Amino acid sequence: MSVDWITVIAQIANLLVLIWLLKRFLYRPILDGIDAREAEIADRMTAATQAREQAENVEAGYHEQVEIFRAGESAMTDTTRQQAEVEREALLADAQVRIDTERKDWTTHLQHEEQKYMSELHRVGGKALLSLTRKALGDLSDETLEERVVAHIDTKFIPMAQELRHEAGEGAEIIASTRDPLSKTAQDKLLVKLQQIVPGLKLIFDTDANQSPGLILRMGGAEVAWTLDTYIEGLDTLLQEHLASESGMNVGADNGH
Amino acid sequence: MELTPDSIIVFELWGFAVNATILNTWIIMALLTGVSMLITRNLRPDVPPNRWRTMLEVIVLGIQGQIEEISRHSSKYLLYFSGTLFIFIVTSNLLMVVPGFDPPTASLSTTAALALSVLVAVPMFGISSRGLWGYLRTYLEPTAIMLPFNIISEITRGISLAIRLYGNVMSGAMIAAILLGVAPFFFPVAMDMLGLLTGLVQAYIFAVLATVYISAAIAEPKNNNKPKENQ
């Protein structure tokens, strides 16, 4: 175990050279690289911080815009709601008016229908009454009725004797029509009475099963009837006049409402 | 069997006998420089480091961290010196496993050179930090009576540095060589693996002790006279 001092000196020199070499090719590049990377990281961190601040500012602006939009939206919603409320009220009022009008029209229509129905009912009732009366009288009438007509013919025809004479003229032919054939007595009586009114007439007796019970005299174009239908028609005229006067009163009462 | 590679003369250069210690040292220097140049040739901050560069950064930052932990302050020159000592010694010790390669640290001349370098570096760092008189005054601390003891301590710790490293590395290499002759397969492998661990630990110890000595030299002295001055 000995020390070679030349080798010692050489190794010291080698160590110094190695220190320089490693400083030149190892430590400095590595440390500089680390420093540069740290500086770059710091720059990036700074840039990131700035970007973050910028993003936060943008975010704050965005939130502000959102708040403004929300406030505007709320106001717009309120306005729209108020307008809708007003519109709704107007529509409701309009609908109410329409409903009232339609109800009024409907009520009027109902009243008209009611009146119409009542009128129709009265009319039908009147017709039924007439029909029943006609039927009752027809069923109850017989040749006695027509002979009774003949017996009282003078009271019926005397007021119109002037007209009959004018229509028939001298020696005219008069057809006396009944539903049932008149007896000989009734025929003679009728002939006598008619010749008192219209002297010199020629009387022809005729029967018509479809004819209403009673007597019909035909002379030329004129015709004088004293039958059940004559009475029924009179009753019908009375009923019509009564219904007409009642309808006029109802209409007047409705207009008054 | 040669105890030191100093006795192995490889060739002569301009009349100067280049032994295996110096040649292997040059090989290690070339290897370290070449690898460093290769890895750090295209360093750019915007390019992510590759695995080799990361490895170098880990080594350099690890050394720097150890130095800062020991000396309590950061110094690039201390990194250059102690870091180079560590890298050189550890490379030399690890190359012990290469057949036919005599590690330079198995030479007492090399370890003596390294110890002398430390012995010279300590006052240089101390003077650069404290100034000449400030450094010399440390030999008189705590009292002037301690001057010879401090000088002896300075010399002996250099010698201990050199002998410790030399003894461990040389013994490891010798044991491996002897066992290779006795049991050529298993034991040399085991001893070589143990030698790798020992070499790594020795490199760490040498570098840490050198850093401790230098740190002690550059450390700011405690101002014990300050209360008296105040009085």
Side-chain angles (χ1 to χ4, degrees):
Chain A
M1 188 177 74
S2 61
V3 175
D4 181 4
W5 290 105
I6 296 176
T7 305
V8 169
I9 294 167
Q11 288 296 72
I12 290 172
N14 285 336
L15 179 66
L16 294 175
V17 171
L18 182 61
I19 288 172
W20 182 83
L21 287 173
L22 291 186
K23 174 189 169 186
R24 171 73 178 77
F25 295 111
L26 178 64
Y27 299 121
R28 270 191 183 170
I30 291 292
L31 293 177
D32 289 347
I34 291 171
D35 290 343
R37 199 159 69 240
E38 285 179 350
E40 188 185 356
I41 289 170
D43 291 342
R44 287 188 182 180
M45 290 292 288
T46 305
T49 304
Q50 290 175 350
R52 184 174 182 172
E53 289 174 356
Q54 195 174 357
E56 286 175 352
N57 290 334
V58 172
E59 186 185 9
Y62 169 74
H63 284 305
E64 193 176 347
Q65 289 287 329
V66 167
E67 290 299 323
I68 291 170
F69 285 142
R70 280 182 182 165
E73 182 187 2
S74 178
M76 194 180 296
T77 304
D78 290 342
T79 306
T80 307
R81 187 177 289 123
Q82 289 173 359
Q83 288 177 350
E85 192 69 25
V86 170
E87 188 75 16
R88 177 172 164 274
E89 293 294 334
L91 289 174
L92 281 175
D94 186 45
Q96 191 64 40
V97 169
R98 286 186 185 178
I99 288 170
D100 291 343
T101 306
E102 288 186 1
R103 185 184 291 158
K104 195 172 180 182
D105 292 345
W106 180 246
T107 305
T108 306
H109 177 71
L110 279 179
Q111 288 174 351
H112 285 163
E113 285 294 318
E114 185 181 354
Q115 290 169 10
K116 192 176 172 185
Y117 175 75
M118 290 304 293
S119 300
E120 186 68 18
L121 185 63
H122 290 164
R123 191 181 63 77
V124 172
K127 278 188 176 180
L129 179 63
L130 290 174
S131 177
L132 286 173
T133 304
R134 182 179 288 114
K135 189 172 186 302
L137 291 175
D139 291 343
L140 293 174
S141 63
D142 53 10
E143 57 273 9
T144 306
L145 175 66
E146 292 180 336
E147 287 180 1
R148 292 292 303 167
V149 169
V150 172
H152 296 281
I153 191 74
D154 49 349
T155 58
K156 179 74 175 178
F157 288 161
I158 285 172
M160 57 180 75
Q162 194 66 29
E163 292 178 17
L164 287 174
R165 276 194 293 272
H166 176 70
E167 285 291 332
E170 288 293 330
E173 184 178 87
I174 296 175
I175 299 171
S177 176
T178 57
R179 190 177 70 177
D180 300 315
L182 291 173
S183 63
K184 181 63 178 170
T185 309
Q187 287 180 359
D188 293 339
K189 193 182 286 185
L190 181 60
L191 180 61
V192 170
K193 286 189 175 184
L194 286 178
Q195 283 180 344
Q196 290 174 359
I197 297 169
V198 183
L201 64 82
K202 185 181 179 182
L203 187 60
I204 300 170
F205 293 97
D206 188 17
T207 59
D208 183 1
N210 296 324
Q211 181 184 315
S212 176
L215 177 66
I216 298 174
L217 298 177
R218 295 188 183 91
M219 53 198 84
E223 182 180 287
V224 177
W226 190 15
T227 62
L228 282 179
D229 281 347
T230 310
Y231 287 99
I232 295 301
E233 284 171 4
L235 179 60
D236 188 20
T237 304
L238 283 174
L239 284 174
Q240 291 294 337
E241 287 175 359
H242 179 70
L243 288 175
S245 65
E246 200 171 64
S247 297
M249 284 175 66
N250 286 332
V251 170
D254 291 340
N255 291 335
H257 285 296
Chain B
M1 177 181 291
E2 300 290 343
L3 286 178
T4 171
D6 292 353
S7 57
I8 304 171
I9 304 299
V10 183
F11 61 90
E12 287 192 0
L13 189 65
W14 299 307
F16 176 72
V18 177
N19 55 33
T21 302
I22 296 173
L23 179 65
N24 290 342
T25 300
W26 287 349
I27 291 171
I28 291 170
M29 289 168 64
L31 181 69
L32 291 175
T33 306
V35 169
S36 298
M37 288 175 67
L38 199 65
I39 294 174
T40 61
R41 68 183 188 278
N42 285 325
L43 279 183
R44 282 168 57 192
D46 54 337
V47 177
N50 55 22
R51 65 180 67 178
W52 297 107
R53 182 182 159 191
T54 304
M55 182 191 73
L56 281 188
E57 286 185 2
V58 168
I59 291 170
V60 171
L61 290 177
I63 294 170
Q64 194 177 28
Q66 285 289 318
I67 291 170
E68 287 178 4
E69 197 173 324
I70 293 167
S71 66
R72 302 294 177 190
H73 75 276
S74 177
S75 169
K76 281 187 177 178
Y77 295 106
L78 193 53
L79 170 67
Y80 300 154
F81 184 73
S82 298
T84 304
L85 281 177
F86 175 76
I87 290 171
F88 173 70
I89 295 170
V90 80
T91 307
S92 174
N93 292 348
L94 292 181
L95 288 177
M96 181 178 64
V97 297
V98 176
F101 186 87
D102 294 317
T105 45
S107 161
L108 184 59
S109 301
T110 303
T111 57
L114 298 179
L116 278 173
S117 301
V118 174
L119 282 178
V120 173
V122 167
M124 285 180 69
F125 275 98
I127 290 168
S128 69
S129 174
R130 298 181 169 193
L132 179 61
W133 295 112
Y135 175 72
L136 291 178
R137 206 163 34 238
T138 59
Y139 287 94
L140 302 176
E141 289 176 353
T143 62
I145 301 171
M146 296 300 291
L147 177 63
F149 299 105
N150 283 332
I151 294 172
I152 292 171
S153 168
E154 197 77 19
I155 295 169
T156 53
R157 71 187 183 189
I159 295 172
S160 73
L161 271 178
I163 298 296
R164 182 190 301 112
L165 180 61
Y166 165 72
N168 279 288
V169 178
M170 184 272 290
S171 64
M174 289 297 293
I175 289 170
I178 291 168
L179 287 175
L180 195 63
V182 175
F185 182 67
F186 179 72
F187 281 109
V189 174
M191 290 308 295
D192 273 350
M193 292 177 67
L194 190 60
L196 289 177
L197 180 64
T198 307
L200 202 64
V201 171
Q202 287 304 317
Y204 180 74
I205 289 171
F206 193 98
V208 165
L209 286 175
T211 307
V212 168
Y213 298 152
I214 295 170
S215 299
I218 63 177
E220 290 296 324
K222 292 180 181 176
N223 195 357
N224 295 327
N225 297 328
K226 200 170 184 179
K228 292 180 182 176
E229 287 172 1
N230 289 339
Q231 288 174 355

